[in-house]
Amino acid sequence: PIVRSCAVVSFVKRKLAGTCLRMAGWELFGERPKVRKAVLITAPHTSNWDFVWMILAAWHFDFKLSWLGKNTLFEGALGGLLKKLGGIAVDRSAAHNLVEQIAQEYHRRDSLFLGIPPEGTRKYRDYWKSGFYRIARAADVPVGLGYLDFGRKTGGFGPTVHLTGDVCADM
């Protein structure tokens, strides 16, 4: 019974996501990652709407996309909902060895797809910050590629890449 209800919830989420995306004019490409754990680059990060479209894209491809958010987002009535939507609270008030904390989270879970915008901001940058790379290396998981193109209203997920530790070659 539990397995059947999980399958029903999964089916409903996929259908709901597909319907919402189609109604908004979005088209998705790619497929669900073929691994159980990965850091997913979600680029470019240009709007708070990225969150909504990426969560719906993950539901469409039948996986849970986790994400990092300021711990203050998880306070109050919305905190539980944001955690259910994959949110992981981060205290940004001081250095707390975030890379190691997230690597440990990968070791604790059977499956984890953590979406990280490599720009580290919603503003344009001509370079990517290294956090996603350092987390993937510390957790020994591949990096998956995810994107949203607001101009064309397309998005999706591409292949995963196993990092070698040679940053220049990997990038």
Side-chain angles (χ1 to χ4, degrees):
I2 292 173
V3 172
R4 191 175 314 139
S5 67
C6 289
V8 169
V9 169
S10 180
F11 174 80
V12 169
K13 282 174 38 177
R14 279 196 322 269
K15 292 300 178 186
L16 175 67
T19 300
C20 289
L21 289 160
R22 266 191 312 282
M23 288 177 65
W26 282 86
E27 187 176 8
L28 297 180
F29 297 93
E31 59 189 25
R32 182 185 200 283
K34 290 181 168 71
V35 294
R36 297 187 53 77
K37 299 177 184 183
V39 170
L40 297 178
I41 293 173
T42 53
H45 184 28
T46 57
S47 160
N48 285 332
W49 281 100
D50 297 349
F51 166 80
V52 173
W53 302 123
M54 272 297 184
I55 294 292
L56 288 172
W59 286 4
H60 174 78
F61 288 112
D62 197 25
F63 70 94
K64 183 176 183 176
L65 180 65
S66 293
W67 47 278
L68 302 176
K70 289 185 258 186
N71 59 334
T72 54
L73 287 173
F74 298 90
E75 296 171 357
L78 285 178
L81 174 64
L82 293 176
K83 286 179 183 174
K84 286 245 184 237
L85 289 173
I88 298 172
V90 173
D91 182 357
R92 294 179 12 175
S93 65
H96 294 286
N97 201 5
L98 180 62
V99 170
E100 185 55 36
Q101 285 180 40
I102 299 302
Q104 290 306 315
E105 197 65 31
Y106 274 97
H107 297 307
R108 275 193 290 277
R109 297 187 189 195
D110 291 332
S111 178
L112 178 59
F113 298 102
L114 179 62
I116 299 180
E119 304 94 343
T121 181
R122 286 178 302 275
K123 297 176 185 151
Y124 172 78
R125 282 217 169 136
D126 57 359
Y127 66 92
W128 285 356
K129 296 185 87 173
S130 64
F132 77 92
Y133 190 94
R134 293 182 301 138
I135 289 170
R137 291 284 297 159
D140 194 27
V141 298
V143 171
L145 308 174
Y147 76 97
L148 293 172
D149 182 336
F150 277 84
R152 292 185 175 99
K153 285 198 168 184
T154 60
F157 299 98
T160 55
V161 178
H162 292 273
L163 303 177
T164 66
D166 181 344
V167 177
C168 292
D170 289 341
M171 296 309 270

